[in-house]
Amino acid sequence: MKKKITLKHIARELDVSISTVSKALKNSEEIGRDTKEKIQAFAKLYNYKPNNIAISLKNKRTKNIGVIVPDIVHYFFTTVVRGIEKYANAKGYNVIVCLSDESFDKEVINMEMLANGSIDGFIMSLSAGTEKNNDFNHLREVTEQGIPLVLFDRVTDEIACDKVVIDDVLGAYQATKKLIDEGRKKIALLTTEDFFSVSRSRNKGYMKALTDSGMEIKEEHILRLPFMDIDEDLISDFLSAVRPDAVLSVNEIFGIYGMRVLQRCGMRVPEDVSIIGFTDGLLAKHANPSLTSVAQHGEKMGETAAKMLIDRVESEDDDDASYRTTILEPTLIERDSTIG
Amino acid sequence: MKKKITLKHIARELDVSISTVSKALKNSEEIGRDTKEKIQAFAKLYNYKPNNIAISLKNKRTKNIGVIVPDIVHYFFTTVVRGIEKYANAKGYNVIVCLSDESFDKEVINMEMLANGSIDGFIMSLSAGTEKNNDFNHLREVTEQGIPLVLFDRVTDEIACDKVVIDDVLGAYQATKKLIDEGRKKIALLTTEDFFSVSRSRNKGYMKALTDSGMEIKEEHILRLPFMDIDEDLISDFLSAVRPDAVLSVNEIFGIYGMRVLQRCGMRVPEDVSIIGFTDGLLAKHANPSLTSVAQHGEKMGETAAKMLIDRVESEDDDDASYRTTILEPTLIERDSTIG
DNA sequence: CAAGTTCACGAAAACGGTTTCGTGTTAATA
DNA sequence: TATTAACACGAAACCGTTTTCGTGAACTTG
């Protein structure tokens, strides 16, 4: 087993000082031609690579960024992580991924684990538990220590930091408008419990579109489902009662379930009922019929968040506390669950 | 901005030595009651947390594990990462995720980035590029340095290390057998190019099942598709030509495409044709009809890999080079694309 | 009261680098 | 020839911990 070689080893072997080796390997002008070549050759031969940990300790820079997401099985978060990875890697950063599993406690624990020197900054999306608790002290502690933080998608006004979101109001507005323009009269909304910031925004867009078109907002056309453990019966009962001619879902999965329920009731999609979901994921793409969706551009969001974070990390002036919120434009991807 | 507090700060403030502070915070018997209480109180007050990097440098243990996967958007890898995360987190480890993006070069770069002290061990699944190149020197270098490595799913015999896979031959065998038992006579196989180890195994299982049942293996019933950029026409032409009464796909996505193509041709699933895919993912679950699949138990695989790695990392005796290969049993999840 | 213990703490090395600041030798200059 | 500048390198501090070892003071013991 070839153990890792250190500067000390090289220095001993070549009978020079550690400092000389360090400088020689950085090609410092300070060191003479011969010595430099000798050291560099030796280092190459033994495949010397500096120890990241030692460098991190010295520089107080780890070149790691911490990403805390509620889940990684959901397509949207997956694409965001991929976007972060892509940008960060190109910049020489590693990505440490932690899953909060929608739990406030896990989110806190993960933050604390990483906040003690493991990372240069955080990118995160709030867990359901955190949004429910409305408790952001862990975020505050981190930012107060001067650790850069970028929130994406599920964000909060309580914390001053960089943020990147899509215009959820607009996305829902456009989707609803599209349904109205098709001539739909009874547009149901499948949404989540109210503590999710994104759902609130999407609800708002839905309502605004209705109002702008002179349509009435009927509370009985809105179904607020618990986020986890989807109960198909709830959706089924709701849709059977409402008998909508269009459905807007604030996520992908409710949309898929909704479509299936309606099809089972003998409704044809999109002839009898149009459906639009959020999150342009694999399910939407491969559903039958494919699901018209509001694309959240997760990968772009991830890249943007990573860029914002790394810019912040690498800028010396941390006093420049002019935090920015980047708002990405959603895109309505028209597929076969709506009429051309 | 409250900067992180260090032992040195506490020592200065309380007019004791750094060593005393360190010991006091570890509740060492060596330190007197009063001093200990004073120091602990101060530390609590200022929320002292030891710097992970410094500890890593000292212990030569980072409590980080490096995970390199080809992609993170595919359901299977996602679940594996989640399993790894789950186990590793419970053990106090962080997970650094790197994406090789199916590229040999990126895989190598990522390994090198992490191998210089950033992690205690690797968990990885080979990129397509690596399997194609058949070049495993980067893995060899890592293992020769004594860095523990666990390969999962896409593994190679070339490298001596711990591995965890499912029994792909068996999975395909059982799936094919199931189709045969249904009375299917013309079972097509949708597979990938041959350099993927898992596809080779699954092909083998398919063939063995046919042979065992006295059926002929016909090369023209097998379609080998390029892994990326699925060309639906290729599938369409193939299935129109073969007109199979059953299809086995070595992954999820080919199965979904195959099903759609057949449905477009007017075939009813499962009445006219049965379909089984690999990877029991979201697409399979929500397809219409839902797709009978060979579950790869990604989360279990991830947990197992993490356990193997951490056991290896934490065992002192690295001479114990008795590497193990854990073989998980696949499970056939019967859904609506086959006959009850 | 001398010798040996115990107690409570500090000094210093170590982990593996980077970097500042000497310093001895040689070569150029006055 | 004496002075100085340039050159090539080393010593040491530092990043934040842990840990070994040493030591002065107080205390026990014979």
Side-chain angles (χ1 to χ4, degrees), chain A residues 267-282:
Chain A
M267 313 272 285
R268 291 164 308 159
V269 179
E271 292 82 353
D272 302 328
V273 55
S274 285
I275 306 183
I276 300 183
F278 261 76
T279 303
D280 180 42
L282 260 41

Side-chain angles (χ1 to χ4, degrees), chain A residues 17 19-20 23 30 32 35 58 60:
Chain A
S17 77
S19 5
T20 302
K23 289 169 192 163
E30 219 179 313
T35 315
K58 186 93 244 276
K60 293 161 152 285

